[in-house]
Amino acid sequence: MAEDVFSLDGGCTCRALRYRVTSKPLFVHCCHCTWCQRETGSAFALNAMIEAERVVLLSGEMDVVHTPTNSGKGQKITRCPQCRIAVWSNYSGAGDAIRFLRVGTLDQAFRLPPDIHIFTSTKQPWLMLPTGVPVMSEYYDRNVHWPQESLERRAALLAAK
Ligand SMILES: [Zn+2]
Ligand SMILES: [Zn+2]
């Protein structure tokens, strides 16, 4: 399928760091684990998984901070060096090839709603989830839930490594 004209801009709070997403993401996680709750200071994290080369830095610099994770393998959080807002993470699994973009940093975050809710065993009890989106108490099987196009994009990425 040909790439459409999909494009979304986003950035940090002081606006020094700006980026552009050049295609739709692979998949969007809404993660309700306690680590995401702590890191966001909120009830969940909303992360769009996307190939690193499809996130273009328009301005500013990236400050990469190594941060612990529940798995013990750690993540690299990319932040604006001035205001310290986090814009995306890279985890050990997919490495630098796939960014977990923080959807709330997009100018039009409403355009990337969750494709799945994960780790809902620790979801805040007051939060009601919508019907029509898969809800997983822990993690999930990518081959069951991802669109075929996203699976193919991921396979291409891993083959190119
Ligand atoms: Zn900033
Ligand atoms: Zn999480």
Side-chain angles (χ1 to χ4, degrees):
M1 196 175 78
E3 285 297 290
D4 56 20
V5 291
F6 187 101
S7 167
L8 285 174
D9 287 1
C12 68
T13 295
C14 80
R15 298 187 72 81
L17 190 161
R18 295 287 297 165
Y19 65 79
R20 177 164 296 155
V21 179
T22 60
S23 85
K24 66 179 178 168
L26 296 161
F27 211 60
V28 180
H29 287 172
C30 188
C31 184
H32 301 263
C33 83
T34 56
W35 287 67
C36 285
Q37 291 180 19
R38 180 171 53 245
E39 287 165 22
T40 59
S42 185
F44 52 79
L46 196 52
N47 289 316
M49 302 175 69
I50 185 163
E51 296 93 326
E53 70 264 20
R54 298 186 187 208
V55 185
V56 179
L57 191 67
L58 300 176
S59 68
E61 287 171 44
M62 300 181 290
D63 187 19
V64 179
V65 180
H66 291 257
T67 306
T69 56
N70 195 21
S71 71
K73 293 174 183 165
Q75 63 176 313
K76 291 192 272 188
I77 301 182
T78 296
R79 296 177 178 275
C80 167
Q82 294 186 35
C83 70
R84 299 284 168 181
I85 296 298
V87 287
W88 58 74
S89 293
N90 291 84
Y91 291 90
S92 61
D96 291 335
I98 293 181
R99 289 175 176 167
F100 285 65
L101 187 78
R102 300 197 175 201
V103 172
T105 65
L106 290 164
D107 298 340
Q108 296 182 313
F110 64 88
R111 288 177 60 188
L112 296 184
D115 292 314
I116 198 165
H117 291 270
I118 58 175
F119 292 104
T120 58
S121 62
T122 51
K123 178 181 78 61
Q124 290 292 317
W126 48 262
L127 180 64
M128 299 296 134
L129 299 180
T131 55
V133 180
V135 172
M136 316 301 292
S137 63
E138 303 296 327
Y139 206 62
Y140 69 100
D141 183 351
R142 181 189 309 117
N143 292 310
V144 173
H145 291 282
W146 279 28
Q148 187 59 33
E149 185 206 342
S150 293
L151 290 171
E152 287 168 8
R153 278 166 58 183
R154 182 176 179 277
L157 198 65
L158 296 180
K161 262 188 174 175

